Amino acid sequence: MAHAKNCHPKSQLTLIDTMTSSPLVSVGIPVYNGDAYMTNLLDSICSQTYENIEIIISDNASTDFTDSLCLKYQLKDSRIIYHRQPCNIGGGANFEFVLHKSCGTYFMWAAVDDMRDINFINSLVDLMTSRGCLAAAGQDCFYSNDFSTQMSEY
């Protein structure tokens, strides 16, 4: 996670939540044909214990059901901002797109096949705010051949 510097207008988002003094975290999700993983990723991001987040998805002109899954989740969670590229802009440009659309105090990327512990963002924000860090990263890694069973720890 690192400091984000760009912002877009969206009334329900706040850089600092005035009730809790918690900084906004932007989660950028660049995706292409990720329908097999999108539900698990969005469930893990939307259920974070740290709630002052915006979730920016850039669908790189997917040809699978990524579009419909993202739109379904956007209806359920107002923190999701969904963009569909009219044509494939390439992987690097898609990563840059979500970064440039962010407006949080902090920014992190999430790959479509990632799953995060529900305290992941909270732990990183705590670390960054308590130590004045400009960047932080970390998590336990587990490998599994599906999302229902843990195979081994890295």
Side-chain angles (χ1 to χ4, degrees):
M1 187 180 320
H3 282 280
K5 52 187 166 181
N6 300 307
C7 192
H8 61 85
K10 188 155 180 169
S11 60
Q12 78 251 29
L13 301 174
T14 56
L15 292 177
I16 300 287
D17 183 329
T18 55
M19 298 297 287
T20 64
S21 298
S22 61
L24 177 67
V25 174
S26 299
V27 180
I29 304 172
V31 61
Y32 175 73
N33 286 350
D35 68 352
Y37 305 103
M38 186 59 70
T39 298
N40 291 312
L41 169 63
L42 290 177
D43 284 345
S44 76
I45 297 298
C46 291
S47 64
Q48 290 293 303
T49 56
Y50 191 91
E51 296 180 345
N52 194 23
I53 62 174
E54 66 173 350
I55 303 162
I56 306 161
I57 303 169
S58 178
D59 178 355
N60 204 4
S62 294
T63 57
D64 62 0
F65 296 105
T66 298
D67 181 23
S68 60
L69 286 170
C70 291
L71 291 171
K72 176 181 145 190
Y73 271 84
Q74 186 178 38
L75 290 173
K76 295 186 329 185
D77 194 322
S78 63
R79 301 173 299 172
I80 295 175
I81 304 160
Y82 175 69
H83 300 276
R84 179 171 169 81
Q85 303 299 335
C87 61
N88 191 313
I89 61 174
N94 207 30
F95 273 82
E96 286 182 33
F97 182 88
V98 294
L99 176 62
H100 291 300
K101 290 293 182 180
S102 70
C103 66
T105 303
Y106 300 112
F107 177 85
M108 65 173 276
W109 277 290
V112 71
D113 59 350
D114 287 352
M115 285 183 60
R116 306 289 182 171
D117 178 84
I118 63 170
N119 295 308
F120 181 74
I121 294 175
N122 191 59
S123 297
L124 292 178
V125 170
D126 282 349
L127 175 68
M128 293 182 74
T129 57
S130 68
R131 296 191 184 176
C133 299
L134 293 177
Q139 76 178 39
D140 292 330
C141 295
F142 298 92
Y143 294 97
S144 174
N145 54 2
D146 63 30
F147 287 105
S148 62
T149 59
Q150 177 182 320
M151 288 179 57
S152 60
E153 185 173 353
Y154 174 73

